[in-house]
Amino acid sequence: MLDLTGKNALVTGIANNRSIAWGIAQQLHQAGANLGITFLPDEKGRNEKKVADLVEPLQPSLFLPLDVQNDDQVAATFATIASQWGRLDLLIHCLAFASKEGLEGDFSQISRPVFTQALEVSAHSLIALAGAAKPLMTAGGSIVTLTYLGGVRVVPNYNVMGIAKAALEINVRYLASELGPQNIRVNAISAGPIRTLASSAIGGIYDMIHHVEQVAPLRRTVTQTEVGNAAAFLCSDLASGITGQVLYVDAGYEVMGM
């Protein structure tokens, strides 16, 4: 039986109740994990209040600001985990960003700053967080990140995020190799298109979702809860032999040829 009782889990990337990270946090909580939640700080504090109100029913024991482009905040987050928890067992990485310029128009016209920011936030952040988590995962652990089919195949308008997800997936493999001797597993979930705040920035996202509903073997898209269930599985001892993998949770769309 899937049981995460006694496990300390840090969940990043919750923006609202449509976030995939929110679905994952709910399933980890249901499985008994002790949650730490991060939020992206902003000048007026709106993100903090919105996320705090949303996650209140999950009773997180840590609620921390985290901007992965700020090295001091990354260090402070894990220093707090060390002092408050002493140990980290699970790390959920649900962080990605590309500006509008990187998600429309000709791929060949993506500027260096747009490219660099997308790779930094969406791919390098996994390396940074895993590196900070490593010394705290003294009893082993599980790291789970989110990718998408656009990292291995061309998806219209996904553009620079496709490059970022490709980088993220190879990061998973290299981290799995490095952290495996410490019994830390690193995996990714490739979820099908879901209506989220992040996906709404991609041109034609609703056409993509409708296409999946017509073509995928299950003839539907997936839900945040289904992705959350897969994440909880990868975090549990039921997945103790799985690392360095990309698990597709997309109603079977990835297997189709045309």
Side-chain angles (χ1 to χ4, degrees), residues 35-57:
L35 296 184
I37 304 292
T38 71
F39 62 91
L40 181 63
D42 63 315
E43 291 183 0
K44 296 184 178 180
R46 291 175 180 170
N47 285 341
E48 179 177 3
K49 185 180 187 309
K50 179 171 64 176
V51 178
D53 290 345
L54 177 63
V55 304
E56 184 179 3

Side-chain angles (χ1 to χ4, degrees), residues 29-114:
H29 172 72
Q30 185 172 311
N34 173 42
L35 296 184
I37 304 292
T38 71
F39 62 91
L40 181 63
D42 63 315
E43 291 183 0
K44 296 184 178 180
R46 291 175 180 170
N47 285 341
E48 179 177 3
K49 185 180 187 309
K50 179 171 64 176
V51 178
D53 290 345
L54 177 63
V55 304
E56 184 179 3
L58 306 184
Q59 300 178 311
S61 60
L62 291 178
F63 186 68
L64 304 167
L66 179 61
D67 179 348
V68 290
Q69 293 184 281
N70 185 325
D71 291 338
D72 291 338
Q73 277 192 14
V74 173
T77 294
F78 287 89
T80 300
I81 292 172
S83 64
Q84 297 289 324
W85 287 352
R87 186 190 80 244
L88 180 65
D89 303 296
L90 312 172
L91 172 62
I92 306 298
H93 175 274
C94 302
L95 302 169
F97 177 79
S99 68
K100 186 177 180 180
E101 178 191 331
L103 298 171
E104 63 183 13
D106 292 337
F107 180 74
S108 63
Q109 298 306 303
I110 295 170
S111 68
R112 181 179 286 110
V114 168

Side-chain angles (χ1 to χ4, degrees), residues 5 55 81 83 98 143 146 162 169 178 189 191 202 206 219:
T5 302
V55 304
I81 292 172
S83 64
I143 299 173
L146 292 178
E169 291 186 18
E178 175 188 337
I189 294 173
I202 302 168
Y206 296 109
R219 296 297 191 270

Side-chain angles (χ1 to χ4, degrees), residues 87 98 123 133-134 149 174 178 180 213 215:
R87 186 190 80 244
K134 179 180 178 180
L149 186 63
Y174 274 94
E178 175 188 337
E213 291 171 340
V215 173

Side-chain angles (χ1 to χ4, degrees), residues 1-9 24 27-33 89-92 137 139-144 183-187 189 227-243 247:
M1 181 176 179
L2 199 157
D3 184 7
L4 299 177
T5 302
K7 302 290 187 181
N8 295 325
I24 294 174
Q27 299 314 110
L28 295 184
H29 172 72
Q30 185 172 311
D89 303 296
L90 312 172
L91 172 62
I92 306 298
M137 289 186 160
S142 176
I143 299 173
V144 178
N183 196 31
I184 300 171
R185 298 178 294 104
V186 187
N187 293 288
I189 294 173
V227 180
N229 285 336
F233 161 71
L234 288 173
C235 286
S236 76
D237 291 340
L238 296 177
S240 60
I242 301 174
T243 194
L247 174 63

